[in-house]
Amino acid sequence: MRAFTYERAADAQAAVKAAAETPNAKFIAGGTNLLDLMKLEIEHPAHLIDVARLPLAAIEETPEGGLRIGAMATNSHVAADARVRARYPVLTQAIVAGGSGQLRNKATTGGNLLQRTRCAYFYDTTKPCNKRAPGSGCGALEGLNRNSAIFGASHACIATHPSDMAVALVALDATVETLSPSGAARSFPLMELHRLPGETPDIETHLVPGELITAVVLPPAPEGGQMYRKVRDRASYAAGLASVAVAGGRIALGAVAHKPWRAADAEAALASGASADEAIGRELEGAGENGRNGFKINLVRRLVPAALAEAREQGRGA
Amino acid sequence: MSSVIDWESTSNPVKENRAGNIGKAVDRYEGPLKVTGTAPYAYEVEPPSPPAYGVMVSAPIARGRITAVDTAAAEAAPGVMLVWTYMNAPAQGPRPERYDFFTPSPRPALESDRVYYFGQQVAVVVADTLENAQAAATLVKLSYQDDAAKAVTFHDHFDEGVQPPGESDVEIGDFEKAFAAAPVTVDDVWRTPLQNHCQMEPCATTAWWDGDQLTVHTSVQMVRFAQNSLAETLMLPHKSVRLLTRYVGGGFGGKGSFYEDLVLASLAARELGRPVKVAFTRQQMMHGTVHRPATDVRVRLGATPDGRLTAMSLMTTTHCDRRGNFTEHASNFARSLYAAPNRLTGHRLVRLDLPVASAMRAPGEASGTLSLEVAMDELAEKLGIDPVELRILNEPESDPETGKPFSIRQLVRCMREGAQLFGWDRRLPTPGQVRDGRWLVGMGMAAAIRGNFLLPAKASFTVDADGVITVKQGMTDIGTGTYTVLAQIAAETLGVPLGDVRVEIGDSELPPAPGSGGQFGAATAGSAALDAGMNLRKAIAEIAVNDPASPLSGGDAAQVTFQDGVIAIANRSERLSELIRRNRPDGLTADGEVRPAADASKWSSHTYGAHYVEVGVDTITGEVRTRRMLGVFAAGRILNWKTARSQLTGGMIWGVASALTEGNAVDPRYGSLINQDLASYLVPVQADIGELDAIMLDEVDDKANPMGIKGVGELGISGAGAAVANAIYNACGVRVRDYPITPDKLLAALTAI
Ligand SMILES: Cc1cc2nc3c(=O)[nH]c(=O)nc-3n(C[C@H](O)[C@H](O)[C@H](O)COP(=O)(O)OP(=O)(O)OC[C@H]3O[C@@H](n4cnc5c(N)ncnc54)[C@H](O)[C@@H]3O)c2cc1C
Ligand code: SF4
């Protein structure tokens, strides 16, 4: 870790202003990801703007019948919220499938969305990695890449996005609200937050530098069952090998791409009457394997129909 | 010279257990300190004056040379006090050509421009704060010439395996002939991956000097070995170094030796005239210390149709570092397990550009049982015989290779009692029969065996004027319960309440004991303690009968009894504290020791057990979760029901780890390991372990040592993973012989079903 300066932002406007004016500044919320990355010499911000205590932690009803979740609401807080549990169980399930209790107590909604990949080569600074050191190459491409992407990967990067929460939010068709460095608010579908790696895997989202996430907005809960299933090497506290969120007619996949992956082809096939097996088969036509991760294709093929069936069961029960 | 015959025929307070301290579920002696965070681990020890902080820099290549060194920027960084590389590190004792882990010898740090493995420490930066040292460490610029062979995985070099130095294969009868003639056979290879110890406490040292006298607090399993080796590294007389290791946050074999933190903290503290702390980071622990090497174990079994083994062979190929000697003896345990007239066992060793291989959690057994105990399951299926019955059919009368009688062997009883308690009769022999929703459920079992050892050790006991007994021994407690069992032995031997015993261990100034490892700790340290206690009893009794002021005056010293802090001859008694206050107000000390018996080698002495496991296999995803585990163990007299059970269940959990999650993969391009933290190196978490129990049979092994106890630390893991693998097969009909059995490996086979 290197020396850095630190400030606690008084309000959201002050936070984006500081970010715009200070070179090489970063927001820090729970710090559960950023501090690790700094200690391991993967990120070297010169200045930290602490946003954790901004008054953006509330969970409120929206006029449309949805919920607005403040960006600083902790993962534990969101997962335990009675309204979230009753109306958006897939979100609670996804959050509690992530990390450990201690991490979720610190982790925030905004920080969770922007957490960085768990690719082992990204974490080891002695290895090439286009995401950490653009142009150095991709260590994972011909390496031990069992947990890499099957959708949307590029020859520059095959990493996956590790968030569980974001997968559920994509299936729920959530919207992100932000404050840009100029101080202007904007909102856009969460599905459009993350990018595919392309040639620039170091640029991970469509946020502009210094843009602050202020909230995530959930539309009214969809009809039908919801469910989150995460497959992992151990029962808890492990990155997913693949995960699936089902909410109404929407399906999102986790740990399979550089972003939470909306299975739009599968959804379309289902809507036109295809079976679950056919639908996921359609989605997987676009999948490709990289070295050792081919099992994920098989895994997703089995996982999604099972999750759809379970969600349907629950929808009926409700 | 001690003798097994004497041990067997002599009674002592531990055997008699009048006050009932032995075997009791006594809470940990140091438990309150640990759970309140007030037990200082090595890095937390407060030195006499403010310390400086050292941070090490590790090599990014698997083999080669440092070609250029630029430390100017690091030296100029804020707070930096010194920067050392091989260019300017102080002179140290020369490293022996090949070294082993029990003979003290110099272990110089930053010794040359040569890099032998990825993650080797190549520089150290010492600064006024940890943060300044960390920041400056990033500024050390070293250039390298990378000479590593491009493929450094074990399997690329498999064929280069040679006989480990000084060893040969052990053959009894004619294995090949018998195997070829056997009507029923199993012939498969099992692979275990390289594993890391992953102790919770990384290696760390706090060091300071007082003139020519060095004091170090560090985290090691063997006090005397580390003290002597450090002194030799620093080219000092042994007694110039005082080494303390009061609390150790896990060892698992990985702290049997010591590493650069100890050497560099000592050297830097001398150079700077100020205490220095140096610790490994979690990432540095993975490469910079030691690991359990990968193995390939080929098992061949030949049997008659009625289930008698006629041929048995385990051949292990494994690896170590270029300069090392360590061999993972995964075949050895099989030499004592089952009867078979024709037998062949041995090892092949490959030297690679990889970090240093060494002992970890039941070296040999932990890896080897993952093959043989699954092979027995496969054989049982081929024969149509229950796996428990197959093992019982091949139970030997005496040690199957040496013919020596067993000191005691209750393996069959472990298996039978385990089967009954677990409900083994409910297991369906045909796989894939039991469904629970999306899960297939199955049961598996395996036998457990682990050697029993006794090493020379000393101890001393002091009684003070308050009647408090202090046990002193250069022993370690690496989280196992050593403090507690020594206190129990002292309380029972001197007849004082447990609360009147103090235990001082982990200090090289105390009477030497070999330390913790090879599950010899309690037996070795405890036997020496018992002897010291017996000598103290004698000394006390002599004083009492010769003290005219004592009610015991004029009595027979041999008749003095010790109970509840009172010494007595028949109805004449007084408090121990009163006697000592009158006669030895400054306290009375007696020494004791234990040596291996000259005739111990006449017996085959082991600990045994049987594991029963029920798992669920998710048919959709290939995820495996253990549902129930039961281990039944026979390991001599149990000193403390609670700490022994914790050792055994902990071992069983490590067995689950080795079967399902644990292992590190080598990226052959870099000679480095892929998992470098505890988020990616997966050991089981609470949610992975369902019901778990360990039962200890009533047993006394009077031939093992004066107390009739044996070790339990490494028994629990032995065989546990094999039982999991067998349960997976019983659940879903898939055998994965490449550990760990992760969902990706199972899924391929599940899809085919
Ligand atoms: C061992 C371990 C295991 C984990 N396992 C899982 C898991 O299984 N599943 C899972 O989903 N997650 C997992 N996580 C990740 C964890 O969920 C994230 O670290 C956490 O959600 C990040 O939130 P934070 O508030 O701590 O973010 P921080 O670390 O504070 O910040 C992360 C990033 O987001 C930026 N940022 C934070 N808030 C904002 C904002 N409001 N606007 C703009 N930028 C912002 C920061 O600048 C930084 O770049 C794990 C983490 C660890 C350490
Ligand atoms: S996959 Fe992406 S994150 Fe991983 S090494 Fe390649 S570029 Fe880096």
Side-chain angles (χ1 to χ4, degrees):
Chain A
M1 179 130 64
R2 309 193 189 172
F4 57 89
T5 53
Y6 170 91
E7 72 178 283
R8 183 173 291 157
D11 56 46
Q13 288 290 350
V16 292
K17 186 156 179 283
E21 287 169 1
T22 326
N24 196 10
K26 282 213 85 142
F27 299 125
I28 182 165
T32 59
N33 192 212
L34 185 56
L35 283 178
D36 275 358
L37 295 171
M38 288 169 67
K39 287 182 192 165
L40 293 169
E41 290 289 316
I42 296 160
E43 295 208 35
H44 324 96
H47 184 66
L48 291 185
I49 303 161
D50 190 340
V51 296
R53 301 194 195 178
L54 294 183
L56 295 172
I59 303 175
E60 307 159 335
E61 296 285 350
T62 64
E64 294 76 29
L67 285 179
R68 170 177 285 101
I69 299 171
M72 305 312 152
T74 65
N75 284 179
S76 296
H77 186 63
V78 177
D81 185 274
R83 294 158 296 177
V84 173
R85 292 174 60 160
R87 283 146 60 189
Y88 308 97
V90 64
L91 182 55
T92 292
Q93 290 167 17
I95 291 173
V96 302
S100 65
Q102 297 93 322
L103 285 163
R104 295 193 296 267
N105 287 344
K106 287 299 281 180
T108 62
T109 305
N112 188 310
L113 289 174
L114 298 186
Q115 65 175 291
R116 307 197 68 191
T117 185
R118 295 266 150 198
C119 172
Y121 297 86
F122 173 72
Y123 267 86
D124 180 349
T125 53
T126 70
K127 304 296 187 290
C129 170
N130 288 324
K131 185 183 280 299
R132 174 174 33 78
S136 61
C138 171
L141 202 55
E142 308 204 323
L144 298 161
N145 56 19
R146 170 175 176 260
N147 211 0
S148 59
I150 53 172
F151 291 111
S154 72
H155 64 269
C157 179
I158 57 173
T160 58
H161 194 266
S163 170
D164 289 292
M165 182 192 80
V167 181
L169 289 176
V170 163
L172 289 168
D173 213 14
T175 302
V176 187
E177 294 184 347
T178 70
L179 212 53
S180 52
S182 65
R186 67 168 178 142
S187 78
F188 54 90
L190 194 140
M191 236 186 85
E192 290 165 18
L193 174 63
H194 299 96
R195 299 161 49 114
L196 288 177
E199 296 300 318
T200 53
D202 53 313
I203 306 172
E204 294 171 348
T205 69
H206 290 287
L207 297 178
V208 298
E211 188 168 0
L212 180 74
I213 298 179
T214 52
V216 168
V217 180
L218 301 178
E223 294 285 315
Q226 300 178 18
M227 90 139 330
Y228 190 73
R229 264 295 284 287
K230 177 181 181 181
V231 182
R232 44 191 151 172
D233 286 318
R234 67 179 169 193
S236 172
Y237 194 37
L241 298 172
S243 68
V244 57
V246 178
R250 284 186 297 269
I251 305 168
L253 303 173
V256 293
H258 200 253
K259 58 189 227 173
W261 189 258
R262 177 86 176 265
D265 290 347
E267 288 174 14
L270 278 180
S272 62
S275 72
D277 286 335
E278 284 163 359
I280 194 60
R282 203 75 55 78
E283 189 70 39
L284 285 166
E285 282 167 18
E289 65 174 87
N290 285 296
R292 307 171 194 231
N293 71 348
F295 79 96
K296 283 191 176 185
I297 295 178
N298 189 13
L299 180 55
V300 168
R301 198 184 301 285
R302 299 161 73 89
L303 181 63
V304 171
L308 283 169
E310 247 177 89
R312 207 176 314 117
E313 270 308 296
Q314 277 169 21
R316 243 180 246 134
Chain B
M1 192 42 101
S2 38
S3 151
V4 168
I5 309 297
D6 294 341
W7 291 345
E8 278 188 290
S9 57
T10 312
S11 186
N12 61 50
V14 167
K15 288 187 181 178
E16 290 162 19
N17 198 20
R18 295 204 180 155
N21 287 302
I22 303 300
K24 214 158 103 182
V26 175
D27 287 346
R28 269 170 208 265
Y29 177 88
E30 81 290 14
L33 294 179
K34 284 184 175 170
V35 298
T36 54
T38 49
Y41 287 81
Y43 199 76
E44 301 157 348
V45 168
E46 206 150 319
S49 57
Y53 298 83
V55 167
M56 298 183 292
V57 178
S58 313
I61 61 168
R63 176 159 58 129
R65 285 181 44 242
I66 302 168
T67 53
V69 172
D70 176 1
T71 55
E75 278 161 12
V80 171
M81 297 169 165
L82 68 79
V83 180
W84 280 339
T85 66
Y86 80 93
M87 301 269 280
N88 60 344
Q92 299 156 66
R95 183 184 294 267
E97 183 100 356
R98 290 217 189 278
Y99 52 90
D100 66 57
F101 287 92
F102 295 102
T103 318
S105 61
R107 298 292 158 82
L110 314 179
E111 58 193 295
S112 78
D113 63 344
R114 296 289 304 276
V115 174
Y116 292 94
Y117 55 87
F118 182 97
Q120 177 184 318
Q121 311 315 331
V122 287
V124 65
V125 177
V126 183
D128 56 346
T129 65
L130 176 63
E131 290 75 13
N132 277 336
Q134 285 171 333
T138 68
L139 302 174
V140 173
K141 295 286 170 267
L142 300 175
S143 310
Y144 298 90
Q145 172 188 316
D146 185 347
D147 296 331
K150 277 309 157 198
V152 289
T153 64
F154 165 42
H155 291 108
D156 295 327
H157 294 271
F158 193 82
D159 298 337
E160 297 160 25
V162 296
Q163 191 69 251
E167 296 184 15
S168 51
D169 297 345
V170 176
E171 179 154 24
I172 311 267
D174 184 339
F175 168 77
E176 297 291 349
K177 199 169 143 212
F179 182 70
V184 186
T185 60
V186 170
D187 180 359
D188 276 308
V189 175
W190 280 262
R191 288 186 168 182
T192 65
L194 186 153
Q195 294 179 337
N196 296 94
H197 298 78
C198 293
Q199 309 93 335
M200 280 211 278
E201 180 205 20
C203 295
T205 300
T206 300
W208 65 83
W209 292 77
D210 191 354
D212 291 338
Q213 190 64 37
L214 170 65
T215 301
V216 289
H217 286 261
T218 192
S219 184
V220 293
Q221 292 173 227
M222 320 280 180
V223 175
R224 182 53 73 92
F225 169 83
Q227 178 223 12
N228 288 353
S229 297
L230 177 62
E232 289 173 27
T233 308
L234 303 177
M235 300 184 289
L236 291 173
H238 292 169
K239 61 180 187 312
S240 299
V241 173
R242 180 176 181 195
L243 184 142
L244 297 105
T245 183
R246 297 269 198 226
Y247 305 103
V248 179
F252 303 120
K255 294 176 183 169
S257 188
F258 63 92
Y259 308 97
E260 287 86 343
D261 58 306
L262 181 57
V263 177
L264 291 172
S266 303
L267 289 169
R270 182 167 67 188
E271 178 78 13
L272 297 172
R274 149 179 199 172
V276 171
K277 292 176 186 269
V278 179
F280 275 69
T281 64
R282 177 59 64 193
Q283 285 72 19
Q284 286 173 330
M285 286 298 289
M286 295 289 185
H287 293 99
T289 64
V290 290
H291 60 265
R292 189 207 297 280
T295 65
D296 267 31
V297 183
R298 182 181 182 195
V299 182
R300 284 173 290 172
L301 300 176
T304 59
D306 62 355
R308 307 235 168 233
L309 285 171
T310 53
M312 185 202 75
S313 169
L314 266 76
M315 293 301 296
T316 298
T317 304
T318 183
H319 61 92
C320 72
D321 49 298
R322 291 274 175 207
R323 294 181 296 178
N325 241 344
F326 180 80
T327 304
E328 183 74 39
H329 285 117
S331 303
N332 279 1
F333 76 100
R335 293 175 184 160
S336 301
L337 194 50
Y338 299 119
N342 303 287
R343 324 163 62 88
L344 173 65
T345 45
H347 303 86
R348 297 292 178 270
L349 187 59
V350 187
R351 289 208 168 83
L352 297 176
D353 294 331
L354 281 182
V356 181
S358 186
M360 174 170 146
R361 302 194 263 279
E365 279 85 344
S367 308
T369 50
L370 285 164
S371 61
L372 177 62
E373 285 305 283
V374 179
M376 287 295 280
D377 202 66
E378 296 191 9
L379 183 65
E381 189 187 28
K382 284 192 176 176
L383 292 164
I385 298 178
D386 182 89
V388 176
E389 296 309 318
L390 176 65
R391 286 168 172 86
I392 292 172
L393 269 174
N394 291 286
E395 174 70 9
E397 298 272 311
S398 58
D399 189 285
E401 303 226 337
T402 61
K404 291 176 187 174
F406 295 116
S407 60
I408 182 168
R409 174 166 162 131
Q410 300 205 73
L411 173 59
V412 171
R413 201 178 140 207
C414 290
M415 292 194 285
R416 289 223 194 277
E417 291 195 14
Q420 195 183 357
L421 288 165
F422 193 73
W424 181 249
D425 56 344
R426 294 203 301 276
R427 170 183 177 267
L428 303 176
T430 310
Q433 304 295 299
V434 184
R435 252 197 189 267
D436 175 11
R438 60 174 209 261
W439 301 89
L440 281 170
V441 181
M443 292 188 202
M445 64 82 55
I449 179 171
R450 173 73 181 150
N452 179 58
F453 310 96
L454 187 74
L455 301 178
K458 297 188 174 175
S460 82
F461 273 37
T462 301
V463 56
D464 68 14
D466 295 323
V468 169
I469 309 295
T470 302
V471 181
K472 295 186 179 180
Q473 193 173 43
M475 178 57 189
T476 54
D477 186 327
I478 61 173
T480 52
T482 313
Y483 275 107
T484 319
V485 297
L486 288 176
Q488 288 172 271
I489 291 168
E492 193 61 50
T493 309
L494 274 306
V496 299
L498 255 179
D500 283 352
V501 181
R502 307 279 173 271
V503 181
E504 286 180 23
I505 59 173
D507 183 343
S508 60
E509 311 248 288
L510 303 177
S516 306
Q519 76 173 20
F520 54 65
T524 298
S527 297
L530 171 64
D531 190 50
M534 295 308 289
N535 290 338
L536 184 60
R537 274 173 72 114
K538 276 186 215 132
I540 292 168
E542 283 301 330
I543 290 172
V545 297
N546 290 309
D547 175 7
S550 171
L552 281 63
S553 171
D556 176 3
Q559 300 302 315
V560 178
T561 60
F562 293 73
Q563 202 181 343
D564 296 332
V566 172
I567 52 171
I569 299 175
N571 54 4
R572 292 189 283 155
S573 69
E574 73 168 326
R575 296 206 63 78
L576 174 59
S577 53
E578 277 159 27
L579 177 82
I580 299 300
R581 206 169 297 143
R582 270 197 322 275
N583 290 278
R584 296 296 166 91
D586 296 333
L588 170 67
T589 295
D591 297 327
E593 67 175 328
V594 68
R595 292 168 184 280
D599 50 354
S601 61
K602 287 190 191 160
W603 285 273
S604 171
S605 180
H606 300 269
T607 56
Y608 299 96
H611 295 279
Y612 290 86
V613 179
E614 183 177 280
V615 303
V617 177
D618 187 319
T619 50
I620 307 285
T621 64
E623 290 167 294
V624 178
R625 303 289 178 248
T626 59
R627 296 182 161 206
R628 292 194 297 137
M629 288 185 87
L630 172 69
V632 179
F633 301 98
R637 187 191 310 277
I638 297 300
L639 287 173
N640 180 329
W641 184 87
K642 191 171 182 178
T643 55
R645 186 178 175 280
S646 292
Q647 287 284 287
L648 290 163
T649 52
M652 291 163 70
I653 292 170
W654 282 120
V656 174
S658 64
L660 296 182
T661 59
E662 201 186 347
N664 219 330
V666 176
D667 187 325
R669 298 168 301 170
Y670 309 107
S672 70
L673 303 170
I674 189 80
N675 299 320
Q676 299 187 18
D677 57 38
L678 294 180
S680 53
Y681 187 97
L682 301 185
V683 303
V685 296
Q686 200 69 27
D688 286 297
I689 306 298
E691 268 178 51
L692 172 66
D693 202 4
I695 287 171
M696 294 157 274
L697 296 185
D698 265 340
E699 181 176 291
V700 174
D701 188 343
D702 271 337
K703 298 189 176 66
N705 49 60
M707 297 185 292
I709 74 160
K710 289 190 280 198
V712 292
E714 298 185 337
L715 178 60
I717 188 176
S718 305
V724 173
N726 292 337
I728 292 172
Y729 178 74
N730 183 243
C732 68
V734 178
R735 295 249 187 231
V736 174
R737 298 188 185 85
D738 178 13
Y739 292 102
I741 307 174
T742 45
D744 49 333
K745 295 175 192 168
L746 265 182
L747 202 59
L750 282 174
T751 307
I753 290 175

